[in-house]
Amino acid sequence: MPAARRSGFDSTLPVSLAFVLLLALLVLLPLFWLLVTSLRDDARHFTLAHYRQFFTDVSFLKPLFTTLWTSGAVGLSCVLVAAPMAWLVARTDLPGKRPLRTLILASFVTPPFLGAFGWVLLGGPNAGLLNQWYYALFGLRPFEAEPLLNIFSAGGMVFVMALYTFPYVFTFVANSLDAIPGELEEASAILGMPPWRTALDITLPLVTPALLAGFLIAFLQSMTLFGTPAILALPAGVDTMTTKIWSLFHFPPQLGLAAAVSLPLLLISVLLLRTQTAILGRRGYAVIGGKASRGRTLRLGAWKIPALLLFAAVLSCSIFLPYGVLLRTAFVRNWSAPMGIENLTLENWRFVFLEFSQTRLALQNTFVLGLSAATAGTLLVCVVAYLSVRRLVWGHRYLAFLSTAPVAIPGIVLAVGLFLTYTRPPFVLYGTLAIIFLAYVTKEIPVGYQQISAALKSVHPELEDAGRVFGASRLRVLADITAPLIRNGVVATWMLIFIGSIRELSATILLFTARTKTVSVTMIDLRESNDWGPIAVLSITMLLITFVLVLLVNRFTDRRIA
């Protein structure tokens, strides 16, 4: 190796080690203590008793089985519903494609636990509005007749989780369809193949990897959710892995067992993500000879009405009905009573923002955590992505790996690891906002890294090299050339991390204390006392904040969320 190159290699070592160490502390240290604690008993002696109990005790095996079958049901439901919707948007003359994509985006950014709150008000077995209408329509009495819907069940949980995970499958399949060259389908049509045969023999095989990847992502997302199972399944006596881990932190906490139960969830997540990567990387195609044309647009004719009814049904269940019932509940005295003038009130809003002692602290904590996590996370991923994508330091591959690794760590598993790490000297952070801040930053690093990496890859290194040729320092080139070109990506990254932080529940539920409650945790507390009016007010407030930020991203940058 030439001396100059060796010198450059050595000079990058301290910088590289510093960032590798920082990311390792954020990502690997909690996992290390998770593993260590799972192998210790109360006397800190080595033991496998926690794993033995997990794999032999039916009270743990049953939640594991429930988690696997419900997640599989969610993934399959998403594929069956989202794939036809993606095909209709990408390949047909369906009217209103842009508004429909926007509404699917609204499903994507809606926190699933808010959707669960809405469906409690709609599908509660006795007082739910849909069941009330059903009883009134057929002259039945609550408590005496079977309800039309019982959302407090494993099936209800699957239904609600699918409503807010189907956009993942839709996005995968729609993007895959958009990338398929139109020449392939046109050649099939020229050879006399009917549209259905072209779809089965050409289009479907090309989008199969996207379908499988979408299924795995939907499976993973539903497997790691806490809010929806806690709201819908626990009242029916149904436990999932996330609610079971949460229960192990009740007094007296069983930390070793919680750690042992968390690791299988982590291993399943890693396996699913590795499988997704293998699927997406195994099959593909390339266009030779020029730019590919868009796929053929099929005329639906009389099928337009059934197609629009499909979108109407799905979006009504995920957007219109839940949002409508939350809005209605926020402005009435009794949410289960008819909506007459005498039932209208602003009391819920006055109570939440003027009387409820937890509101101010919860909003303050939520915004402090969101702003600090978004700012710190954006700065971190900007530096790490720049060093990694431009390969400026030794060990850039380690930086890339550590930046994307947290995507495989479920939020509640990360929370267990952070709890075990920062409740011992020298860093005792439990009971402070700092430990929740670390959870948010760590959890959102992969999202930010992917955004900034994509922005940097769109800026050719030769632009920076040209600046260096004219005598500018690397910092000057970064400030005057690179930074303006990736500004939109940086803004979008900040917004995405902020939105992800203020809606986070799975990690927060294990790390909060009385002084560090967030809005999402406050709503879960209100659920215990069935204060649905205040819950609806806080839900609408969170939705408004989220959608305002999404609109700002789409208005002032060329990035689009989802």
Side-chain angles (χ1 to χ4, degrees):
M1 179 182 291
R5 182 174 297 180
R6 189 184 305 114
S7 174
F9 179 91
D10 294 338
S11 66
T12 67
L13 188 59
V15 175
S16 177
L17 287 178
F19 280 99
V20 168
L21 180 61
L22 176 59
L23 291 173
L25 288 173
L26 287 173
V27 179
L28 300 182
L29 186 60
L31 300 183
F32 168 77
W33 281 112
L34 197 69
L35 178 62
V36 169
T37 306
S38 71
L39 296 171
R40 282 181 175 179
D41 58 19
D42 293 338
R44 296 191 176 184
H45 297 147
F46 175 81
T47 182
L48 293 175
H50 301 311
Y51 291 100
R52 190 179 305 113
Q53 182 175 352
F54 172 70
F55 287 109
T56 58
D57 190 338
V58 68
S59 66
F60 291 100
L61 293 178
K62 190 174 180 180
L64 176 61
F65 176 73
T66 299
T67 299
L68 293 177
W69 84 256
T70 54
S71 300
V74 170
L76 182 60
S77 301
C78 289
V79 169
L80 293 176
V81 171
M85 293 173 69
W87 181 80
L88 287 168
V89 167
R91 283 291 186 267
T92 71
D93 61 345
L94 184 74
K97 293 181 182 181
R98 179 168 293 183
L100 291 174
R101 283 182 180 264
T102 302
L103 289 171
I104 292 172
L105 169 61
S107 301
F108 182 79
V109 300
T110 301
F113 66 89
L114 292 190
F117 283 140
W119 273 98
V120 169
L121 300 172
L122 289 165
N126 299 311
L129 293 184
L130 294 181
N131 284 319
Q132 285 191 46
W133 296 340
Y134 168 71
Y135 295 139
L137 181 63
F138 292 97
L140 303 175
R141 291 185 177 182
F143 302 101
E144 295 180 2
E146 284 295 319
L148 176 67
L149 298 171
N150 183 7
I151 207 67
F152 295 117
S153 61
M157 177 181 68
V158 169
F159 171 71
V160 173
M161 288 195 296
L163 291 176
Y164 300 100
T165 51
F166 87 88
Y168 291 98
V169 181
F170 176 89
T171 301
F172 271 93
V173 177
N175 290 343
S176 180
L177 287 169
D178 288 340
I180 294 176
E183 290 87 346
L184 297 176
E185 295 170 328
E186 289 173 2
S188 176
I190 291 173
L191 293 174
M193 292 294 182
W196 65 268
R197 185 69 182 272
T198 299
L200 287 178
D201 293 349
I202 295 179
T203 309
L204 181 60
L206 289 173
V207 300
T208 296
L211 285 170
L212 293 175
F215 170 84
L216 292 175
I217 288 297
F219 188 105
L220 177 62
Q221 290 294 321
S222 57
M223 183 184 72
T224 57
L225 284 178
F226 169 80
T228 305
I231 295 166
L232 301 180
L234 275 184
V238 178
D239 254 320
T240 63
M241 290 293 287
T242 53
T243 58
K244 190 65 177 179
I245 293 171
W246 172 69
S247 70
L248 293 174
F249 275 75
H250 295 170
F251 187 83
Q254 303 176 65
L255 301 182
L257 192 53
V261 174
S262 298
L263 284 173
L265 201 62
L266 173 64
L267 293 177
I268 294 172
S269 299
V270 172
L271 178 62
L272 288 174
L273 288 170
R274 293 294 297 173
T275 304
Q276 180 213 352
T277 302
I279 289 172
L280 290 178
R282 184 177 302 165
R283 298 179 63 183
Y285 58 86
V287 180
I288 300 175
K291 183 178 179 180
S293 64
R294 294 184 61 85
R296 298 173 63 232
T297 299
L298 300 178
R299 296 186 178 277
L300 290 174
W303 288 96
K304 282 184 181 179
I305 294 178
L308 289 173
L309 287 176
L310 171 63
F311 280 86
V314 174
L315 294 174
S316 293
C317 291
S318 63
I319 302 278
F320 302 124
L321 287 173
Y323 285 20
V325 75
L326 287 172
L327 189 63
R328 175 189 185 277
T329 303
F331 288 98
V332 297
R333 302 179 191 277
N334 182 357
W335 68 270
S336 62
M339 191 173 179
I341 295 178
E342 67 283 353
N343 197 24
L344 293 176
T345 182
L346 293 176
E347 176 62 24
N348 295 320
W349 295 85
R350 188 186 66 81
F351 171 76
V352 167
F353 291 107
L354 297 179
E355 289 187 6
F356 189 41
S357 59
Q358 295 185 29
T359 301
R360 181 177 179 182
L361 181 62
L363 287 172
Q364 177 181 311
N365 290 338
T366 299
F367 276 96
V368 167
L369 287 167
L371 292 170
S372 58
T375 303
T378 301
L379 289 174
L380 176 62
V381 297
C382 282
V383 175
V384 170
Y386 185 69
L387 296 176
S388 177
V389 171
R390 292 292 187 256
R391 302 183 178 184
L392 298 178
V393 296
W394 172 86
H396 56 84
R397 291 187 180 88
Y398 300 114
L399 292 176
F401 169 75
L402 289 172
S403 297
T404 54
V407 74
I409 307 175
I412 201 163
V413 174
L414 176 63
V416 175
L418 289 170
F419 181 91
L420 297 173
T421 303
Y422 296 109
T423 52
R424 63 184 78 239
F427 301 110
V428 181
L429 300 180
Y430 183 70
T432 69
L433 289 177
I435 192 171
I436 305 178
F437 165 80
L438 290 176
Y440 290 177
V441 171
T442 305
K443 193 171 183 297
E444 298 299 327
I445 282 176
V447 174
Y449 179 82
Q450 293 297 334
Q451 283 280 334
I452 299 298
S453 295
L456 284 169
K457 288 175 182 177
S458 68
V459 179
H460 201 283
E462 289 182 357
L463 293 174
E464 298 171 354
D465 294 340
R468 298 296 301 278
V469 167
F470 284 99
S473 65
R474 185 171 294 279
L475 286 177
R476 183 65 182 271
V477 168
L478 181 62
D480 292 350
I481 297 177
T482 310
L485 292 174
I486 67 169
R487 177 185 62 85
N488 288 346
V490 173
V491 173
T493 297
W494 191 96
M495 294 289 190
L496 282 169
I497 296 178
F498 183 85
I499 291 171
S501 298
I502 65 173
R503 59 181 279 178
E504 171 57 35
L505 177 61
S506 297
T508 317
I509 199 68
L510 292 186
L511 300 176
F512 80 94
T513 60
R515 296 297 303 169
T516 59
K517 283 185 178 181
T518 61
V519 172
S520 57
V521 172
T522 301
M523 284 191 280
I524 294 294
D525 284 350
L526 289 168
R527 170 68 180 89
E528 296 297 321
S529 55
N530 287 320
D531 290 325
W532 290 106
I535 288 174
V537 170
L538 290 173
S539 299
I540 293 169
T541 302
M542 180 174 286
L543 288 171
L544 286 174
I545 294 170
T546 301
F547 285 116
V548 166
L549 289 173
V550 170
L551 289 174
L552 287 174
V553 172
N554 292 342
R555 172 66 178 82
F556 294 108
T557 75
D558 57 8
R559 299 270 168 172
R560 296 292 183 266
I561 296 177

